[in-house]
Amino acid sequence: MADKRVYLFREGSADMRDLLGGKGANLAEMTNIGLPVPPGFIITTEACRQYYAQKEQLPDGLMDSVRSAMSEIEGDIGRKFGDTENPLLASVRSGSKFSMPGMMDTVLNLGLNEETLKGLIRASGEPRFAWDARRRFVMMFSDIVLGISRSRFEAIFSACKEKRQVSQDTDLSAEDLQEVAGKFLALVRQETGRPFPEDPWEQLQLAVEAVFRSWYNRRAREYRRRESIPDDLGTAVSVQAMVYGNLGTDSGTGVAFTRDPSTGERTLYGEYLVNAQGEDVVAGIRTPLPLSELAATNPEVYKQFREIGERLERHYKNMMDLEFTIERGRLFMLQCRVGQRTGAAAVRIAVEMAGEGLISREDAVTRVSASHLNQLLHPRIDESYLAENGIEPIVEGLPASPGSAVGKAVFDADRASRMGAEGESVILIRDETNPDDVHGMLASQAILTARGGKTSHAAVVARGFGIPCVSGCETMKVDERSRMFDANGKIVREGAWVTVDGTTGRVYLDKIPLISPEVGGEFDTLLGWCDEFRRLGVRANADNPRDAKQALKFGCEGIGLCRTEHMFFEKDRLPIMQSMILAETDHDRELALQKLLAMQQQDFEELFVVMDGLPVTIRLIDPPLHEFLPAHEELLKQVVELRVAVKSLGADAIKEVLQEKERLLELIESMREVNPMLGLRGVRLSILIPGIVAMQTRAILQAAVRVKKRGVEVNPEIMIPLVAHVNELRTVRENLDKVAAEVVEEAEETVTYKFGTMIELPRACLTAQEIAQHAEFFSFGTNDLTQTTFGVSRDDAEGKFLAKYVELGVLPVNPFETLDTEGVGKLVRICVEDARRANPLLKFGICGEHGGDADSIAFFHSVGLDYVSCSPFRVPIARLAAAQAAIAERAETPVAAMQN
Amino acid sequence: MADKRVYLFREGSADMRDLLGGKGANLAEMTNIGLPVPPGFIITTEACRQYYAQKEQLPDGLMDSVRSAMSEIEGDIGRKFGDTENPLLASVRSGSKFSMPGMMDTVLNLGLNEETLKGLIRASGEPRFAWDARRRFVMMFSDIVLGISRSRFEAIFSACKEKRQVSQDTDLSAEDLQEVAGKFLALVRQETGRPFPEDPWEQLQLAVEAVFRSWYNRRAREYRRRESIPDDLGTAVSVQAMVYGNLGTDSGTGVAFTRDPSTGERTLYGEYLVNAQGEDVVAGIRTPLPLSELAATNPEVYKQFREIGERLERHYKNMMDLEFTIERGRLFMLQCRVGQRTGAAAVRIAVEMAGEGLISREDAVTRVSASHLNQLLHPRIDESYLAENGIEPIVEGLPASPGSAVGKAVFDADRASRMGAEGESVILIRDETNPDDVHGMLASQAILTARGGKTSHAAVVARGFGIPCVSGCETMKVDERSRMFDANGKIVREGAWVTVDGTTGRVYLDKIPLISPEVGGEFDTLLGWCDEFRRLGVRANADNPRDAKQALKFGCEGIGLCRTEHMFFEKDRLPIMQSMILAETDHDRELALQKLLAMQQQDFEELFVVMDGLPVTIRLIDPPLHEFLPAHEELLKQVVELRVAVKSLGADAIKEVLQEKERLLELIESMREVNPMLGLRGVRLSILIPGIVAMQTRAILQAAVRVKKRGVEVNPEIMIPLVAHVNELRTVRENLDKVAAEVVEEAEETVTYKFGTMIELPRACLTAQEIAQHAEFFSFGTNDLTQTTFGVSRDDAEGKFLAKYVELGVLPVNPFETLDTEGVGKLVRICVEDARRANPLLKFGICGEHGGDADSIAFFHSVGLDYVSCSPFRVPIARLAAAQAAIAERAETPVAAMQN
C-alpha cells in the first residue's frame, strides 16, 4: 500500500483526507454509501510531495497507475478515454486536506480533441453541446496548464456574441462555437508556437502537473500562510468522468446547502442553472434559479436530491455544501463538503443540531468559530436614521455576507490592502472578485460587487472571513480604470464614503450611523453551554459604567482592566490634570490632586454600583504625563509665528501671549521623550510623584466605603502598571497601604482590596519569583510585553513594516493580533511557573488585546491562567474560545482541527 | 562561645572580621603579634544584629560582659574606669566588616566627668590637657550620642579663641578650656533639658547604643548601597583604653602608609601632629608634619614605627594604612588596615610585591581594580590643584565619555572644525548634537551638551572616538545664537577656556592642569600576567583605523564591533546617504548606493590592513534612516518662518526655497517615529531596503579580496543587528550570501567570512535555539537588551528617573553601567544554553558597553562567553577583569571579596 498513489473512489473514505484531499475523500465516501457519483479516481497528496521532492518530476510509474485506474472508470461508465466513438471526458480537480476555496484550479472536459469531439457529437447527438464543451476545454486548459490568460479567450468569445448580437452564451449556435474554438486554437498556436496538445493522455499528464504546480502558486501560498496551513501537505488530484449539465433543458447543474447558510434555517437551500456546466454557477455569468424551481419542474429529481442531502447531513452530522449535475434528467453528485456558513447560521445550526440529538453540546460549541460570533457582534445600520433623513440606497444587490460597514470606496485590491494596513476603513468595489483580490478583500470593511451570486467568489470569501458583502448589484457599472462606479447615473469616485449593509444587500452613499448588535436566543443558549465547559474566567476591559454595562450584558464576570487615565482625558478634567502636572509648588499640585480625587471617587462609585460585587481591577495611572499636555509641534508652530509677529509688529499685546506660550513650550520640551513608550510612565510616575498614587488609592477606597455603606458589595483590585523590578512594587505598595489604612480608619468601615501588578515587561516575567511575593494577582499586559519582547513599537511598525513582514512570510501573523507563543508566550510560561512556585495563591489574568483573540485564548488556557479580560464586544468570543480550549484539551485535539 | 558577645583584643584575630569588624580584628591581630596596642575589647556585630532584632534593645547581659572585659583592661593598664584618682578613659569606635570611611562615629575620652577629671589632672599633672580632653569629650559625645550639632559647640570654642585673640587651639590655657567646657555643659542642659550624663557606665552604654544606631544612619545606608554592602551585617564596637597624644611636645599622633599611596614607591609615607589627639589629624585643623620630622626629632620612636610598618606589611602581604599615638615618648598602634591607593600606586605595588616574592602573580592581578586602571588610561584633572586653589565646577552633567580636556568654548561645529584644523584646542558646546556636528566633534578636545543622556548622539560618538564628553548639563543654558552659555548665572562666552572632566561629569572655568596617562612598565607587566590567566577573549569596538590602532596598542585581539553607519555620518558622506534615503526612483537610489560602496570599501580596506589577520566584526546598518536627515524641529521652525515671510512679503524668491523645504519636511515627517528605538531600524531596514545590505556586503568582500591580493590576511565577520525572529536572519542571509558569491566569482579569489547576529532583543534570547541554526556567532548587544528587558529608554531614563531610582534604592545600580544579572543576565543565560545545544560550534561575544565593565565581565565569564568587546580605552580593563574572573573562579571567591 505504501506505493499506492492512485485510489479509485470506491477504495477511499472520508477519513482519508490527508492522503486524498477533502474533495477526493468525500467523493469516495459518497460513492461507498451508494450515492450517484460519476466514477473517478484520486492521485494522492503523497504523489504531489514526491513531485516536489524530485524537482517537479512526476513519480515513476504514476501515469501507469493512472492508466489502469482510468480503465476501471471506463468499465464503470461504458465509455473510453480518447475514444473517437463515445469518448470518456474527465474533469481534473485539485483537492487538499483543508478547503482552500478558489485557490486551486480545475479543468473540465479533458480528453477532447478533433477526433473525440466527433465522437462526442455522435454519442450525444448535440453538436452545439460538443462545440461548447470544446471551447470551454480549450480555454480552461490554456489558461491553467499553458498559462495563457483567460481574458484573451473571453475577448474572442465576447466579440463573437457581439457579432451575433446575443447576450447569453446559450444563444450562440454550434457553428458560432465552432468558429470560437477555431480562433481559440489559433491563439494558442500563436502564443505557444505550437499546436494545442491533442493527445488525451498528454492533456491528462499536463493537467495533473499543473494541479501539482498550482499548490505553490502565490494565491495558494498566501492563503495557507493566513490560515496557518502547512506548506508541505501537498494537493491530491481527482480525475472524474464528466457528466453534462449542458445537454439541453432537461440538464443542469447546481449547488445547494442542506440548511440555509445565511440564517441556519433547516431547509434545503440552493440554486441551479438549466443547460449549464458547473463553472457557470460559480462564475456568476448567468443568474441562477432557486431550487424551488427544480422542485416545480422536476419533482422527481428534486425529491431524490433532497433525500441525498438529508442522508449526507445525518452521515456527516453537519450542514453540507453539495454540487450536483443533472444529465438528461439523471442526477449526479459531484461534490459534498461541510458547508461554510454565516455566524448566525453557525450558531443556529449548532444549537438546533444539538437539540435534534445529532451532535453533543460539546460538538455544538466547537462548531462555532470566533469569527462566526464576531459577525453576530457586528454593527448594523441605524434604520431610523435612514427613515428620518429620507435616505435611499444608491444600489441594491444580493445580501451575500451579513453585517454593515462604513468605508472609503476603493477599486483595486492592492490599494485596499495598502490603505487598510494604514488603518483606513475601505470598501473594496469590483466588477467581480477573483482569487487575486483576496488580500484586498481581507483588508476591507466590506466588499461590493456588480456581478456574481451568493455563491460567487466574493460571497464565499467574505462569509468565510466575516466581512459584510453585497454581490450582484447589477445596476451598478464599475469602471475600475477610472476608479469610479455609476449607480443609475450617480457617479461615486474613489475615496468617497460608502456604507454597505450585507444583511439587506443595500448600499448607501456617505457615512450612515451604525448600531451595535443585540444578541439572544440560540446565541445565549450556546454561550450558556460554553460557560459549562470553560475553565478560564472572562472579564472585560471597561473604563466607565457604559462599557461595564455592555460587558455585563455579554456575560463578563468582572472588570479585568479599568484604565483610570481615560478619566483624566475627559474634557472637564484635562485642565485640572494639566494644572497638576504644571504645578510649580507642592501646594498647587496638592490642590489639583484634591479636585481630581473628588472626580475619580465619583467615577469609581458608579462603576462599583454597576458591577455590584464582581471584581473590578483598577490600574493606576500609566501614560507619560506629556500625553495630557498640548501637542508640542502645534505649540512650537504658534511660538515661531508669534515670534515673527512680535519682531515685525512689535505688538506688546502679543508679547505676553508669546511669553506665556514660550514658558509652556519650554516645560513641554523638558518633558518630551525620545521613546515615550519606554519612558517616565506607569509605576515610574507613581514613584516619582507619589501624590498621584495616594490620590488614586484614596479615590478607590473612599468610593468603596461609600458604596459599601449603601449596601453594595465591592471587590476592588488595585493594579500597578509597568513594573520591571520587585522594588518598584514594594515601594508603591508601602505608600498605598498607608493611604488605605488612613481611609479605613477615617471611615470606620473595613474594605478589603487586592493588590497586584501588570506583567508587561520581559524583566517582570524573568523575575516573577520575587515580584510574586508582593502581589496577590498578576495581569499580563501582552501589548507592551509584545512590544518589548520583539523590540517593536506598535505605533511605528503596523503602518511601516509589520504588514510587509507578514506578506513576505517573515512573520506568520501580526503578533499584536495573535500572541507570539514562541517568544512572548515563552516569557508568559516562565512567569507563571516561577511565580506560582513562589506564591501558590497568586491569581493570573491577561488584559492585553490578545485576551479577545481565540488562538491566544487557547494558549492562555494551556498555561493555566485564571481569567482573560477583553473589550466588551469580545466577551462572547472569549467565552466561546475558552470553552473550546477546555473541550479540545479533554479531546487532546487542537481547536482548529475540530472546526474542519 | 555562641553567646560570647565581647572579645578582648587578645582573644581575636584578623580573620574574625565578620564578627569583630575590620578595625577590631586588626587590633586583635596586632595585639597577638606583640605590637604595642593599648588594651581593649570588642562588642561583636552579632550583638548589633541582636540589638536590631530586639527593636533597638541591647541584648540581656551585654553590659555585664562589658564590665568584666573592662576589668581585664583595667588590670592590663593599671587604671580603673571611673576612678577618681587615675581614671581609665576609653575610646569607643564602630567597625564593620567592610571599611566604611567616615560613615560611622567615634567617641574619645569616654569616662570623663567632674570627678574623674580631677583624677586625670592628678595623674597627668597637666590640667590643660585634662580640660582639653574634657571639652573634646563633651562635644563629641553630645554630637554623636545626644544629637546636638557639633557646630553649636564649635561656635562657642571659636568665640573663646577670638576673645583670647589666638588662632591655634593649643594657645588656649587650661582656664580657657575650663570655661569652654562649662559653656558646653550649659548648652547640653539647655538643649536636652537634663544635665550631661556623668556616670561613666551610663556614658559607655549610651555610646555603644549610638554606635549601633549609626549603622542605619542615612550616610551609612547610602554608602552601603553604593558599594553593594548588605544591610544586615551590623557593626562591631571596639572599646579601647585611651592613650594621649596631647600630653605635651613629647607626645603626638599620626597616620602613615607603608608605601606611597600616590605613586606606590616603597617608602614609609605619612604625617603626624605634635601634642594632638587623632581626630586633629583627620580634621585637618592643624597642618601636620611629614614623618621625616619624626625621624629627626625622635629617631628611636621613628625606627620602632618603621619596623612595625615593615612587619605589618610582611604579615598582611599588602600595603598598610597605620594610625599611631606617641604618649610621652611611648609608641602605641591604634589601627592598621589595608591602605587605599591611586591607580598608579596599585599597579606598581602589585607588580613590585610580586617581584619581591611577597605575593603571587594571581594575587597581584586581583589587587588592582578596574577603577585603578581606568585612572591610568585617560588624562585626568590634577585634583590637588583644585583643592589647593579651592576651585569648584561651574556645572555638572552626566559623565558620558571619560577623560579630561582643556579647550576654548566654541558653539558651532563648523567653527570647531576650522579652529581644530588650525591647531587650536576647542571644546564644542551645544544644546545637543546631531549628525551634522560630527566633523566639529572630531576636531574638539571634548564635547559638552546641555541635553541628552549617556546614549545621546554626543555621548555615543564621543565614546566611540575616545573624546571626553559631559552630556545632560541641565542647569546650563546654551544660547547658540549669541555664542554663550549661562551656568547658574555665570556667563561663558565663545573663546573662554573651559576644562571638561568626562570621568566625573564636572566642568570648570579656565585651564586646569591635567595629568597625562602613563602606561607601560608595570602596567604592561601586569596586563601580561592577566593574559596568562584569562579565558575570555578581549576585542574592541572600533569604527575606524585610528581607533583600531589604539585598541591594538591596548592589547585587543580583534574588532568585536565596527559600526558601519558611523562612516555615513562623516561630512562628505552624509549628503550621499541623504540622497540615497530621499531617492525617488530605484535608479537614483542605486546611484547613491554605488557612491557609498566605493567609500565603504575604502574604509574596510584600511581597517583590514590595520587588523592584519585578526577578526573584524562588521555590523550592517543599524539606526533608523531619519537619523541621517536634518532635524525635524529645526526644519519645521524654518518652514513656519518662511511661510509667514511669504505671506507678508509675497517674495517669490523665498517661495521656491519654502516649497523645497516643505517637500523635505513632509518626507521627514512621513519617516518620523513615535519610538525610534523600537522602529524601522536594524535588520528591519535590511529587509525593507535590501540594496543597503547588498552594498555593504559587496564593500566588505571587495575590500577583503583587494587586501588579500596584497598579502594581508583577512577575517571578516558580518553581523546583523536587531534580529527578533529567525526568519529575519534567514531572509537577510539569503540576500547576503548571493552577493558574496557574486563578489567571489568576479574576483576569482576565495574569501571566507563568518555570518552572525547581534542578540539584543528578548525574543532573540528566547528563541535562540532556532536563530543559532543560522548563525556562526552571536554577539550580545546588552545596551538594547537592557532597554527592552527593562522597558526603559536610556536616553529618557538617565536624565530623569534612573538616578532617582538608584538614590531611592529601587535599583541597586544603573543597569546600563553594570549588567542586571537577575533579569537581563537571565536572558543571556537562557540564550547561551539554548543556542549552544542547537549549535555547539557557535561563538558568543558581547559588544554592548557592559563589555568594558568589570562586574559585568565577571558575569560574562561565568556564563561562558568566548569574548567581550569594548571601547579601545576599556580594553586593558577588560583584560584585567577577565583575568580576575578566571582567578576568582579557580579560588571560588567573588572578585569583589578578593580586593578587600
Side-chain angles (χ1 to χ4, degrees), chain A residues 543-582:
Chain A
D543 306 333
N544 54 54
R546 195 193 59 219
D547 285 358
K549 280 179 199 158
Q550 179 67 62
L552 282 173
K553 212 183 285 173
F554 280 140
C556 81
E557 299 161 324
I559 290 179
L561 176 63
C562 168
R563 286 156 290 208
T564 49
E565 64 270 11
H566 283 205
M567 300 167 173
F568 299 141
F569 282 117
E570 287 184 23
K571 211 181 168 188
D572 52 335
R573 302 174 181 193
L574 196 54
I576 307 173
M577 188 68 188
Q578 291 177 346
S579 68
M580 192 277 287
I581 297 168
L582 303 176

Side-chain angles (χ1 to χ4, degrees), chain A residues 674 728 763 796 805 820, chain B residues 633 674 728 763 796 805 820:
Chain A
V674 183
E728 296 177 310
R763 198 180 187 285
D796 299 306
Y805 262 37
D820 158 49
Chain B
E633 202 169 311
V674 184
E728 295 176 310
R763 198 180 187 285
D796 299 307
Y805 261 38
D820 158 49

Side-chain angles (χ1 to χ4, degrees), chain A residues 632-633 636-637 640-641 643-645 647 666 669-681 683-684 687-688 722 724-725 727-728 731 761-767 769-770 787-793 795-797 800-801 804-805 808-812 820 822-824 826-827 830 834, chain B residues 451 477 481 632-633 636-637 640-641 643-644 669-681 683-684 687-688 722 724-725 727-728 731 761-767 769-770 787-793 795-797 800-801 804-805 808-812 820 822-824 826-827 830 834:
Chain A
H632 170 260
E633 204 169 311
L636 178 68
K637 280 186 199 166
V640 174
E641 279 167 8
R643 275 182 195 152
V644 174
K647 230 189 210 166
E666 200 179 320
E669 287 188 343
S670 76
M671 294 178 70
R672 271 166 94 203
E673 296 185 307
V674 183
N675 299 292
M677 143 82 200
L678 308 176
L680 179 52
R681 48 172 287 236
V683 68
R684 300 163 194 172
I687 288 177
L688 263 71
L722 212 71
H725 194 289
N727 288 347
E728 296 177 310
T731 305
L761 295 174
R763 198 180 187 285
C765 293
L766 294 162
T767 60
Q769 207 158 348
E770 291 159 36
Q787 295 199 85
T788 46
T789 304
F790 268 89
V792 161
S793 163
D795 282 335
D796 299 306
K800 287 193 172 130
F801 58 86
K804 187 85 185 170
Y805 262 37
L808 291 174
V810 174
L811 290 180
D820 158 49
E822 281 180 356
V824 180
K826 190 164 176 179
L827 278 180
I830 288 172
D834 289 357
Chain B
R451 293 205 279 161
K477 301 228 173 310
R481 270 194 205 173
H632 170 260
E633 202 169 311
L636 178 68
K637 280 185 199 167
V640 174
E641 279 168 7
R643 274 183 196 153
V644 175
E669 288 189 342
S670 76
M671 294 177 71
R672 272 166 94 203
E673 296 185 306
V674 184
N675 300 292
M677 142 81 201
L678 307 177
L680 180 52
R681 48 171 288 235
V683 68
R684 299 161 195 172
I687 288 177
L688 263 71
L722 213 73
H725 195 289
N727 288 348
E728 295 176 310
T731 305
L761 295 175
R763 198 180 187 285
C765 294
L766 294 163
T767 60
Q769 207 159 347
E770 291 159 35
Q787 295 199 85
T788 45
T789 304
F790 268 90
V792 162
S793 163
D795 280 334
D796 299 307
K800 287 193 173 130
F801 59 86
K804 187 87 184 168
Y805 261 38
L808 292 174
V810 174
L811 290 179
D820 158 49
E822 282 180 354
V824 180
K826 190 164 177 179
L827 277 180
I830 289 172
D834 289 356

Side-chain angles (χ1 to χ4, degrees), chain A residues 801-823:
Chain A
F801 58 86
L802 266 189
K804 187 85 185 170
Y805 262 37
V806 174
E807 189 187 319
L808 291 174
V810 174
L811 290 180
V813 289
N814 178 342
F816 294 105
E817 286 172 7
T818 296
L819 192 88
D820 158 49
T821 53
E822 281 180 356

Side-chain angles (χ1 to χ4, degrees), chain B residues 120-311:
Chain B
L120 190 62
I121 293 172
R122 270 192 290 275
S124 66
E126 296 274 1
R128 192 201 166 282
F129 149 74
W131 282 112
D132 191 39
R134 175 66 167 162
R135 66 96 191 167
R136 285 175 193 269
F137 168 58
V138 174
M139 179 169 76
M140 291 172 102
F141 188 92
S142 300
D143 174 26
I144 292 166
V145 182
L146 305 178
I148 305 168
S149 167
R150 193 178 183 101
S151 60
R152 306 282 301 271
F153 297 96
E154 276 167 353
I156 293 169
F157 192 57
S158 297
C160 177
K161 284 203 281 185
E162 218 163 283
K163 205 169 90 186
R164 297 281 170 255
Q165 292 184 306
V166 300
S167 65
Q168 296 285 320
D169 299 0
T170 42
D171 294 334
L172 289 177
S173 68
E175 290 69 31
D176 295 336
L177 294 169
Q178 184 172 4
E179 189 189 323
V180 166
K183 286 186 176 160
F184 280 9
L185 292 171
L187 175 64
V188 170
R189 180 187 281 273
Q190 177 195 319
E191 288 297 308
T192 63
R194 283 190 294 178
F196 186 85
E198 288 286 280
D199 174 15
W201 291 105
E202 186 191 351
Q203 289 174 0
L204 182 56
Q205 177 168 344
L206 289 171
V208 169
E209 287 174 352
V211 170
F212 283 171
R213 275 201 309 276
S214 75
W215 175 255
Y216 270 109
N217 75 26
R218 193 167 149 235
R219 286 180 342 223
R221 274 183 293 141
E222 281 178 6
Y223 182 88
R224 287 198 294 273
R225 196 168 54 241
R226 201 165 50 245
E227 299 291 305
S228 304
I229 297 172
D231 264 346
D232 59 3
L233 296 178
T235 180
V237 185
S238 56
V239 179
Q240 188 173 23
M242 286 295 300
V243 289
Y244 306 100
N246 50 348
L247 268 177
T249 52
D250 59 350
S251 302
T253 188
V255 297
F257 295 88
T258 57
R259 303 193 184 204
D260 185 330
S262 288
T263 65
E265 191 189 345
R266 192 179 180 184
T267 178
L268 188 62
Y269 175 97
E271 21 183 49
Y272 82 116
L273 277 175
V274 175
N275 195 16
Q277 275 200 335
E279 55 167 340
D280 299 335
V281 183
V282 179
I285 296 166
R286 284 159 51 196
T287 305
L289 302 169
L291 270 189
S292 51
E293 288 288 320
L294 181 64
T297 55
N298 198 337
E300 282 303 301
V301 167
Y302 178 76
K303 180 166 170 267
Q304 186 194 358
F305 180 63
R306 209 186 55 208
E307 283 167 5
I308 288 174
E310 282 165 7
R311 188 158 162 209

